Amino acid sequence: MGRDRAKAILDRLGAGATANGGGQLLESVNPATGQAQGSIRAITRAEYDGRVTAALRRFEEWRMRPAPKRGDIVRRLGELLREHREGLGELVSLESGKIRAEGVGEVQEMIDICDFAVGLSRQLHGLTIASERPQHRLMEQWHPLGAVGIVTAFNFPVAVWSWNAALAAVCGDVCLWKPSPLTPLCSAAVQALCDRAAKEHGAEGVFNLVAGGAEVGTWLCDDPRVPLISFTGSIATGKAVASRVAARLGRALLELGGNNGVIVLDDADPDLAVRAITFGAVGTAGQRCTSTRRLFLQRGRARGLIDRLVAVYRSVRIGDPLEPGVLMGPLITRNAVERYRAALATAREQGGKVICGGTVLEWPGNFVEPALVLAPRHEAFPIAWEETFAPILYIFEVEDLDEALRAHNAVPQGLSSAVFTDSLRSAEQFLSPAGSDCGIANVNAGTSGAEIGGAFGGEKETGGGRESGSDAWKAYMRRQTSTVNWGRDLPLAQGITFGA
């Protein structure tokens, strides 16, 4: 049934069952059933080199096409995504295990970033700078980099690609996409839409799929023809990517792990806090880089909030992510289930108490219960300093905001954070230089669900990269400082005189 469902979606999107390359089979396994539902083939090294060469040939023309004209292909891609939003969203659910609302929401995110990029295509601006020399103009402009390698993860199998590719395309770059081998059908479906949009606009070679395993990622990282590698994944792999790319003095845009915390103070709105915490910790079965993993409760509010969270967790319906009313689907693989099991065992050994959930469900697929764990002092609970990609929430009681911030900022990751409070002073302290050390800091909103208009990314071991909105587009371009002398003299800067 899953195979038929996936094939029908691929056929509607024009992807069919066409093999992508001549390499190993990349099989898609439905994490809700454990059953195979389709496959594509990885590319060979010769095919990889051929695609890079073809992309760079397209770049020679693409970089000179006016940016608003480059925006036309992205506009068309957005239209195709709108047309196929429900089907592609369902395919995302079938491959990644996220519920239908989240799968469709991920495709909507692609549509939104296409809209953003189309507008951006008319706003790729530099600066005019006051020159110290008479009859001189000093300015700054931005040019395309070339080929951009985009390496994405299973948990957002299409949206993260679009954050990079839509911006890179309007900036004048060509894109090489290595998707997660766990979600090959999603990448084939999106590539089919890209191919259609590109053909309509004479832009074949702007968007390229280079599917495969870790070896394809290594080819990208080591390839001097690819000046930027945008990598989304684990901290350990991100460090390896950064090292390889740095060895050739390339650029790396890294979106790595998060160990995201929520602080709830005594004056917080409890209804708001409970809803945000539950979605942050349970959404996507805890497999978002922005998932809520640590909860710091001020003691006056702690007992009541814990009781409410237990009640809500017990009401979370687990099951087929495409079934109406289900709020949590499966983990992505059996290995992920084992990591969940091991993390909870370690938590117990370190003094944690599982007060809700924590059971591996003996169903087909990779289903577990979301877990709430009462933790001892943060500094005495090492498991909470790690990111386990699973629906486990560690709960700490704290005296005040200062104690909460010290614990919150102690971990090596720095992606997303949140505080719930009705105090202006507490909110501003949280957002101040002495507050959260994360790339994302929210007040009375949870850690998950970032909008595309803001730059997305984190600090410390999260990698420091920024994607999506704001001025994240600058990562895909090279800056050039230019001086124009429109006079007849040649004054030198700093008042230097040289010869007669």
Side-chain angles (χ1 to χ4, degrees):
M1 179 65 73
R3 179 179 290 272
D4 293 342
R5 209 166 183 176
K7 183 179 184 302
I9 295 169
L10 289 169
D11 288 344
R12 288 200 302 273
L13 270 64
T18 305
N20 180 254
Q24 65 181 9
L25 206 63
L26 301 175
E27 191 170 61
S28 172
V29 176
N30 187 330
T33 65
Q35 301 299 309
Q37 56 188 348
S39 62
I40 66 171
R41 285 198 176 274
I43 61 168
T44 64
R45 179 61 202 240
E47 289 168 334
Y48 167 83
D49 285 329
R51 292 185 192 188
V52 175
T53 299
L56 291 176
R57 279 200 302 267
R58 168 57 63 189
F59 174 65
E60 291 180 8
E61 178 274 332
W62 187 245
R63 64 187 173 183
M64 295 304 293
R65 194 179 297 197
K69 295 298 183 183
R70 298 195 295 252
D72 287 344
I73 186 177
V74 178
R75 178 186 290 107
R76 181 58 180 144
L77 178 59
E79 292 169 353
L80 292 171
L81 289 167
R82 281 185 172 88
E83 183 181 336
H84 294 286
R85 188 182 76 147
E86 300 298 321
L88 183 55
E90 184 173 328
L91 187 62
V92 169
S93 294
L94 285 169
E95 281 209 295
S96 71
K98 59 177 61 175
I99 63 174
R100 182 190 294 271
E102 291 187 89
V104 173
E106 182 169 345
V107 181
Q108 183 61 50
E109 195 166 347
M110 301 176 77
I111 295 166
D112 293 344
I113 198 65
C114 285
D115 288 348
F116 180 93
V118 171
L120 177 66
S121 70
R122 293 182 180 270
Q123 300 181 70
L124 298 172
H125 52 76
L127 298 172
T128 299
I129 305 164
S131 175
E132 67 181 72
R133 290 170 285 180
Q135 297 180 319
H136 279 60
R137 179 158 60 89
L138 183 60
M139 60 184 177
E140 175 184 279
Q141 55 186 356
W142 296 82
H143 294 308
L145 274 177
V148 173
I150 305 169
V151 183
T152 59
F154 77 86
N155 58 334
F156 279 86
V158 293
V160 170
W161 168 82
S162 70
W163 290 359
N164 288 273
L167 298 193
V170 299
C171 287
D173 299 318
V174 291
C175 304
L176 301 160
W177 179 20
K178 194 208 88 67
S180 167
L182 297 175
T183 52
L185 303 185
C186 285
S187 61
V190 171
Q191 186 62 39
L193 299 182
C194 288
D195 290 346
R196 182 173 162 187
K199 186 175 182 180
E200 292 174 7
H201 288 83
E204 295 91 336
V206 171
F207 300 114
N208 303 275
L209 184 61
V210 287
E215 72 285 350
V216 179
T218 299
W219 300 341
L220 282 168
C221 289
D222 292 347
D223 195 337
R225 297 171 296 176
V226 185
L228 172 66
I229 302 297
S230 175
F231 172 82
T232 301
S234 71
I235 291 170
T237 306
K239 288 179 177 180
V241 167
S243 177
R244 297 191 80 101
V245 175
R248 60 175 175 88
L249 297 181
R251 301 187 191 185
L253 194 168
L254 303 175
E255 298 286 0
L256 310 179
N259 191 355
N260 313 294
V262 170
I263 298 169
V264 183
L265 301 181
D266 286 346
D267 58 6
D269 180 333
D271 294 332
L272 207 60
V274 168
R275 289 200 302 273
I277 293 162
T278 304
F279 174 68
V282 173
T284 322
Q287 296 173 115
R288 292 182 177 222
C289 53
T290 55
S291 290
T292 306
R293 309 203 181 281
R294 297 175 298 143
L295 177 59
F296 301 94
L297 301 178
Q298 195 169 8
R299 287 195 171 87
R301 180 68 79 182
R303 188 67 262 163
L305 265 169
I306 290 169
D307 290 344
R308 292 183 64 160
L309 281 170
V310 169
V312 170
Y313 264 53
R314 285 175 176 162
S315 73
V316 170
R317 187 176 167 196
I318 306 166
D320 181 347
L322 290 173
E323 188 176 320
V326 168
L327 293 180
M328 195 182 99
L331 296 178
I332 188 66
T333 61
R334 293 308 299 178
N335 283 341
V337 173
E338 292 310 311
R339 287 192 291 271
Y340 162 91
R341 200 195 307 265
L344 287 174
T346 301
R348 290 184 177 100
E349 291 170 3
Q350 294 176 1
K353 179 181 179 183
V354 179
I355 59 171
C356 186
T359 300
V360 175
L361 300 174
E362 300 303 322
W363 302 348
N366 310 317
F367 292 96
V368 301
E369 292 179 338
L372 293 172
V373 180
L374 287 182
R377 290 178 300 106
H378 189 267
E379 64 271 22
F381 199 56
I383 189 63
W385 295 54
E386 303 173 14
E387 180 192 37
T388 303
F389 233 49
I392 302 173
L393 181 62
Y394 302 118
I395 303 173
F396 304 88
E397 291 190 23
V398 295
E399 193 64 41
D400 53 24
L401 178 58
D402 289 338
E403 182 184 347
L405 282 169
R406 283 194 297 273
H408 175 277
N409 293 348
V411 297
Q413 311 87 356
L415 179 53
S416 188
S417 59
V419 68
F420 284 82
T421 179
D422 278 348
S423 164
L424 176 63
R425 286 190 174 90
S426 296
E428 290 295 334
Q429 179 180 345
F430 181 77
L431 297 176
S432 77
S436 168
D437 63 357
C438 293
I440 299 170
N442 299 329
V443 176
N444 293 331
T447 60
S448 277
E451 298 180 31
I452 61 95
F456 180 91
E459 301 299 324
K460 301 188 293 188
E461 287 191 354
T462 300
R466 291 297 184 275
E467 295 170 338
S468 194
S470 186
D471 65 348
W473 60 271
K474 293 180 178 179
Y476 309 94
M477 304 196 82
R478 58 184 176 87
R479 186 194 312 248
Q480 186 178 79
T481 302
S482 303
T483 303
V484 176
N485 177 4
W486 53 276
R488 295 191 179 278
D489 297 322
L490 189 65
L492 299 179
Q494 293 86 48
I496 294 173
T497 57
F498 189 77

